[in-house]
Amino acid sequence: MRIYNTMTRQKEEFVPIEPGKVKLYACGPTVYNYFHIGNARAFITFDVVRRYLEYRGYEVTYVQNITDIEDKIIAQSIKEHIPFTEVAEKYTKAFLDDVERLGTKRPTFQPKATEYIQHMIDLIKEQVDNGFAYESGGDVYFAVTKLPQYGQLSGKKIDDQKAGARVEENENKQHPADFTLWKAAKPGEPSWSSPWGKGRPGWHTECVVMSRDLLGVTFDIHGGGTDLMFPHHENELAQALATTGKPLANYWMHNGFLNIEGEKMSKSLNNFFTAREILDVYDAEAIRFFFLSKHYRSPIDFNRELIEESKTAVQNFYTALSDLNWLTINPEQIELPEQLNKYIIEFNEAMDDDFNSARALAILFELVGKAKNTTTALLERQAAAKLMVQLGSVLGFFQNTEAHLTQAIDPEKLKLIEALVQQRNLARQNKDWAASDKLRDELIALGLEVKDTKDGTVWKLL
RNA sequence: GGCGACAUAGCCAAGCGGUAAGGCAGAGGUCUGCAAAAUCUCCAUCUCCGGUUCAAAUCCGGAUGUCGCCUCCA
């Protein structure tokens, strides 16, 4: 299995620290608002990474942090006139709800920043003691110039930054690129006691202490959105190096950004969509398909037509299952013939190559074709469907097949439909095609698909 | 100013030196009373210009274009 490692800018053979086990950390949300469709991409990306590693037989420990104390949360608490803890609770719950609707598997651990305050203070203290951090005006900063490797991950040199980039002006800092480890509390702000007075930890410290606590000093994979590479991940790495001298993680994975109709998503452009808004309109698997149809590292452009296309594409899976009356079958009794092995091999090859989900989806469609092919034996079709479900599940599809295949239809409508079908059958028997066609139009107007097969008329909701 | 990514059919998208996967949309044949579904068939030489090579979408150089990061951000 090969993974593109941001640290080395190339695909590398994946070798876990401990054979058979993978320790994975991916940055979770700051719970100050509902998360947006771009966040959803990151969650789905690492959900698939995790699922695939498990499918490949690894025991995966997956940690996703929840940042429940941060400047934006404080700002939101002022805006909503409620304590910051209520803001955090409200949006943590929303996060967990939405992420479940997206169909992501619950991480092994979802630690909260506020549960790790003491750990963070300890880590900051360690850095001060080691001479990598300094206290200034109640704040504590990390001195980037003390760490020669600083910039290693993002490929940035401290001195290059000064030329054109805007760097926050702060008299307390020794160097403009120094970042905050501990922030002194202003009156009224939530705070914790520390050797440097009352304040709160900076964001970059929490991932270091949580990962160390739950995964160990160096773990296997650290993931997140590409924008987190700098400064967030760079600053995490710096703190790990400053305290242990060892790298934080062996592989760094970064998912690409999502744009909205070619433009960066932002509130000012009024093209900002929360995941729950999208989930209210589109099926979670259509959204998943949309993301997985492109490689996770590429930028992706979100627009309605593409989601519609994805929706149609996913329907193919379920049409195949529906045609086979999948819910009446016990898949365990279907044996996979050897001819299907090549699809498994191709699927694994695709996913082994830095999680090439777009290629993996193509294999699913080859299986759809086999499952739908009415010119072949039923058992062959069922076997293809079984494999499609198996491999699709690795990508997070088919989590709720029953709901997708069961048509919720209200009894009144059902009666009407059945009556119309009955009338139409009569008309067809009498070869009254005009009446038959008219009745079919009525059925189609009800949102149905109508097929006349050898065994009679079949209909289903679209 | 620094760093980086990308450019493949109407749209989305794989491909990473050996002659263009897949999805959506579209066209035609079979089947059907007609449809639908199914099935068969068709639909690109890879932004441009040079170079390396027996061979390039794939490597190198250049041009053009698009996008991202350097500031909170998935």
Side-chain angles (χ1 to χ4, degrees), chain A residues 27-29 34-46 64 95 99 102 104 224-228 254-260 263-266 271-279 287 290-291 296 298-302 307:
Chain A
C27 293
Y34 301 111
F35 69 84
H36 56 69
I37 188 69
N39 296 297
R41 184 183 196 188
F43 301 149
I44 288 174
T45 297
F46 292 101
Q64 179 188 51
F95 161 69
V99 103
L102 273 178
T104 63
T226 186
D227 57 317
L228 292 185
H254 291 101
N255 65 273
F257 244 57
L258 174 137
N259 294 317
I260 306 285
E263 286 183 307
K264 185 171 171 170
M265 172 164 54
S266 74
N271 62 359
F272 190 94
F273 297 107
T274 63
R276 59 171 50 189
E277 284 175 304
I278 304 294
L279 278 164
I287 296 168
F290 164 71
F291 285 127
Y296 77 88
S298 307
I300 196 166
D301 193 52
F302 178 92
I307 292 281

Side-chain angles (χ1 to χ4, degrees), chain A residues 20-79:
Chain A
K21 295 187 178 177
V22 178
K23 301 198 185 305
L24 169 68
Y25 187 100
C27 293
T30 298
V31 284
Y32 72 104
N33 211 327
Y34 301 111
F35 69 84
H36 56 69
I37 188 69
N39 296 297
R41 184 183 196 188
F43 301 149
I44 288 174
T45 297
F46 292 101
D47 179 60
V48 169
V49 166
R50 183 260 192 99
R51 285 176 190 272
Y52 185 68
L53 288 167
E54 286 178 345
Y55 158 79
R56 284 302 237 162
Y58 290 105
E59 186 188 308
V60 179
T61 309
Y62 175 25
V63 178
Q64 179 188 51
N65 65 307
I66 294 176
T67 304
D68 60 349
I69 175 64
E70 213 264 336
D71 289 8
K72 288 195 292 277
I73 295 172
I74 296 170
Q76 189 69 23
S77 85
I78 293 164
K79 201 171 146 191

Side-chain angles (χ1 to χ4, degrees), chain A residues 1 51 145 217 222 225 329 334 375 395 431 442 460:
Chain A
M1 182 185 300
R51 285 176 190 272
T145 47
V217 165
H222 191 130
I329 293 170
I334 302 167
T375 64
L395 302 178
K431 299 197 189 297
E442 282 177 40
K460 68 172 182 179

Side-chain angles (χ1 to χ4, degrees), chain A residues 14 22 73-74 83 93 98 110 135 147 149 263 281 359 373 381 394:
Chain A
F14 176 67
V22 178
I73 295 172
I74 296 170
K93 186 177 179 304
D98 292 352
Q110 288 178 301
E135 187 268 328
L147 188 76
Q149 300 100 311
E263 286 183 307
V281 185
R359 233 165 94 198
N373 189 335
R381 298 174 59 198
V394 176

Side-chain angles (χ1 to χ4, degrees), chain A residues 91-92 157 249 271 432:
Chain A
Y91 293 109
T92 298
K157 297 189 190 83
N271 62 359
D432 182 354

Side-chain angles (χ1 to χ4, degrees), chain A residues 291-390:
Chain A
F291 285 127
L292 297 186
S293 65
K294 194 157 182 177
H295 189 89
Y296 77 88
R297 277 190 280 118
S298 307
I300 196 166
D301 193 52
F302 178 92
N303 64 57
R304 305 261 163 184
E305 296 85 84
L306 290 176
I307 292 281
E308 288 290 349
E309 279 186 14
S310 299
K311 189 178 151 192
T312 311
V314 170
Q315 268 170 4
N316 273 317
F317 297 149
Y318 289 104
T319 302
L321 294 180
S322 166
D323 288 354
L324 288 167
N325 292 315
W326 190 247
L327 294 179
T328 66
I329 293 170
N330 179 0
E332 285 179 22
Q333 287 175 345
I334 302 167
E335 276 189 48
L336 291 182
E338 225 162 274
Q339 304 95 278
L340 290 180
N341 281 164
K342 67 172 183 181
Y343 295 104
I344 299 175
I345 291 166
E346 281 178 29
F347 179 88
N348 292 355
E349 271 176 6
M351 291 300 285
D352 273 351
D353 183 17
D354 194 29
F355 306 98
N356 193 331
S357 55
R359 233 165 94 198
L361 286 175
I363 290 141
L364 253 40
F365 279 105
E366 289 188 34
L367 290 167
V368 170
K370 284 190 158 297
K372 280 183 163 180
N373 189 335
T374 51
T375 64
T376 58
L378 187 62
L379 271 175
E380 258 177 65
R381 298 174 59 198
Q382 290 177 338
K386 177 180 174 173
L387 186 57
M388 174 188 85
V389 170
Q390 255 177 26

